[in-house]
Amino acid sequence: MRFSSLTDRIRGDRVAAWDIHFAAWAAKGRGEDVIVLSVGDPDFDTPAPVRDAAIAALHAGDTHYTPIPGRPELRAALARDFTRRTGLTAEPENVLVCAGAQNGLFNATLCLVEAGDEVLVPEPMYLTYEACVRASGAALAAVAPPSATLRLDPAALAAAVTPRTRAIFLATPANPTGIVMSMEELEAVAELARRHDLWVVADEVYASLTFDRPHVSIATLPGMAERTVTINSLSKSHAMTGWRAGWVVAPAPLVAHMGTLALCMLYGLPGFVQQAALVAVEQGDEAVAAMREGYRRRRDIALEALGSVPGLRCLKPEAGMFMLVDVRGTGLPTMDFAWRLFRETGVSVLDAGAFGPAAAGCVRLSFAVGEAELAEACRRIAAFVTGLA
């Protein structure tokens, strides 16, 4: 039997990178002594008022179809929240509710680019960006950063623009690096977008989890609101990964097109999930602040435990729940390092080379476990590396 060419376009090494994580979860399910640092699924509980809202909605029979772009009250709350955070005026028609940020990213990509177009994405990039772009038929052009810092290289980004370029995808704060883009970096991207009439798709899922540098939405820069698609979700900020509650803020004509696509790819997020999301958004920053400080403490635990281990070089994250660790000093290829670490210590990390050649030689570890468990994982990693020497 034949399959469409789409199946080839969405495959690749970035998808295969998850194999070690799946192996770790299988081992954990068998009761083995495994510490999973290979995924960003928060160990925090979803705040109780959010859970209670969903339960109450279920008991009230909120199990029927909902408006395709999202319930009006949730879209209005998200628009108000966006205005509060950015100072930009947003209305409900600028908001589309979707099944997590990933669903919003896929929908936006299909509505913005197509075969013959090109999308610029700074490396390292999140694993699914490439498949989303290629699913649309467009080509992805990765833009390499300086190897020492992994920050955006504005000159390289400008040099990558061609007559086929239609959009720039960026994530700030970034997964896997934890880098928060500076105002100077954002202005460089904005200048290119205005000069070449490009869309900017801004993944801001970790915007509320910054430690050292405040997050700035690129949509707030002059001339950018009308060409920016801002993607966000409650997955990380409120420990709601399994709820699949995300949204997009964009110019109203684009949101209308995305709503048409959502009609045939989602047909509306469940009502009880939307009621929970409404409570989460209206709660404000109290729950988020507690999680942010928790991740900051975990980052510091990992840095202290691994920062002085010979053979390792930690790249200090400015936000989020991940840290890159350069393991080239151990003499092991990165994938071999990850698999040996897992088999010999039970700690799973990802080969960060899957996020692009710029991250080759690094592994990505997550802070999505408790402080004691993270400290034990770091102890095992340090002992493993010391044993190699």
Side-chain angles (χ1 to χ4, degrees):
M1 300 298 293
R2 292 182 63 250
F3 301 101
S4 79
S5 62
L6 172 67
T7 59
D8 291 322
R9 297 200 302 273
I10 62 176
R11 293 173 57 199
D13 294 339
R14 299 185 199 276
V15 176
W18 291 103
D19 289 350
I20 192 169
H21 173 66
F22 299 145
W25 268 116
K28 193 174 183 70
R30 295 191 296 268
E32 298 178 21
D33 181 15
V34 170
I35 303 177
V36 179
L37 304 185
S38 46
V39 71
D41 192 353
D43 65 312
F44 296 110
D45 290 329
T46 301
V50 178
R51 300 196 308 267
D52 292 344
I55 293 168
L58 281 168
H59 282 308
D62 192 357
T63 57
H64 301 278
Y65 288 133
T66 62
I68 304 302
R71 284 182 167 162
E73 58 269 32
L74 178 56
R75 297 175 76 193
L78 290 167
R80 290 193 300 271
D81 185 68
F82 184 79
T83 297
R84 177 178 66 85
R85 293 178 185 278
T86 65
L88 294 171
T89 299
E91 302 295 341
E93 56 264 32
N94 297 117
V95 178
L96 177 84
V97 176
C98 47
Q102 183 61 59
N103 179 239
L105 177 69
F106 190 79
N107 188 326
T109 304
L110 294 188
C111 288
L112 292 178
V113 296
E114 59 190 342
D117 292 339
E118 196 170 69
V119 175
L120 305 185
V121 187
E123 282 191 351
M125 72 183 76
Y126 183 61
L127 296 176
T128 64
Y129 289 2
E130 182 176 34
C132 285
V133 172
R134 295 182 66 185
S136 73
L140 183 147
V143 180
S147 59
T149 65
L150 299 185
R151 300 194 71 90
L152 176 73
D153 183 343
L157 186 69
V161 176
T162 74
R164 296 172 53 202
T165 305
R166 293 291 176 269
I168 301 170
F169 284 18
L170 58 87
T172 179
N175 176 4
T177 62
I179 287 173
V180 180
M181 292 182 71
S182 68
M183 182 60 77
E184 292 74 19
E185 291 165 338
L186 291 171
E187 287 174 344
V189 175
E191 193 280 326
L192 278 180
R194 291 189 298 261
R195 176 161 31 115
H196 297 282
D197 194 23
L198 306 178
W199 285 98
V200 172
V201 177
D203 179 346
E204 298 189 355
V205 168
Y206 297 94
S208 62
L209 300 177
T210 59
F211 311 138
D212 304 318
R213 186 196 300 269
H215 167 76
V216 176
S217 291
I218 194 169
T220 62
L221 273 61
M224 291 304 296
E226 60 265 35
R227 64 177 68 255
T228 299
V229 183
T230 304
I231 297 176
N232 214 323
S233 84
L234 298 171
S235 291
K236 313 298 184 177
S237 62
H238 289 72
M240 293 177 66
T241 51
W243 296 76
R244 310 316 301 138
W247 63 94
V248 170
V249 180
L254 174 59
V255 169
H257 291 308
M258 294 181 67
T260 301
L261 182 55
L263 177 71
C264 59
M265 71 185 294
L266 177 63
Y267 211 85
L269 197 67
F272 59 90
V273 172
Q274 294 194 53
Q275 292 308 110
L278 180 61
V279 170
V281 173
E282 291 183 336
Q283 261 191 335
D285 293 331
E286 182 179 346
V288 177
M291 293 186 194
R292 179 172 58 247
E293 290 310 305
Y295 289 128
R296 185 200 299 271
R297 289 194 302 272
R298 294 175 187 187
R299 177 200 64 173
D300 294 343
I301 288 170
L303 283 171
E304 182 175 356
L306 301 177
S308 60
V309 176
L312 301 181
R313 183 175 70 91
C314 299
L315 283 72
K316 183 180 179 180
E318 299 172 314
M321 59 181 66
F322 302 108
M323 182 170 75
L324 289 187
V325 181
D326 190 328
V327 302
R328 286 173 290 187
T330 67
L332 286 179
T334 316
M335 186 64 79
D336 292 348
F337 178 97
W339 277 106
R340 279 193 58 181
L341 176 69
F342 171 59
R343 289 170 178 144
E344 296 178 28
T345 74
V347 176
S348 67
V349 296
L350 281 188
D351 175 1
F355 297 89
C362 295
V363 296
R364 189 197 74 172
L365 60 85
S366 164
F367 306 142
V369 297
E371 292 180 20
E373 195 171 15
L374 178 62
E376 170 60 17
C378 291
R379 186 197 65 77
R380 295 185 193 184
I381 294 171
F384 170 75
V385 172
T386 302
L388 292 176

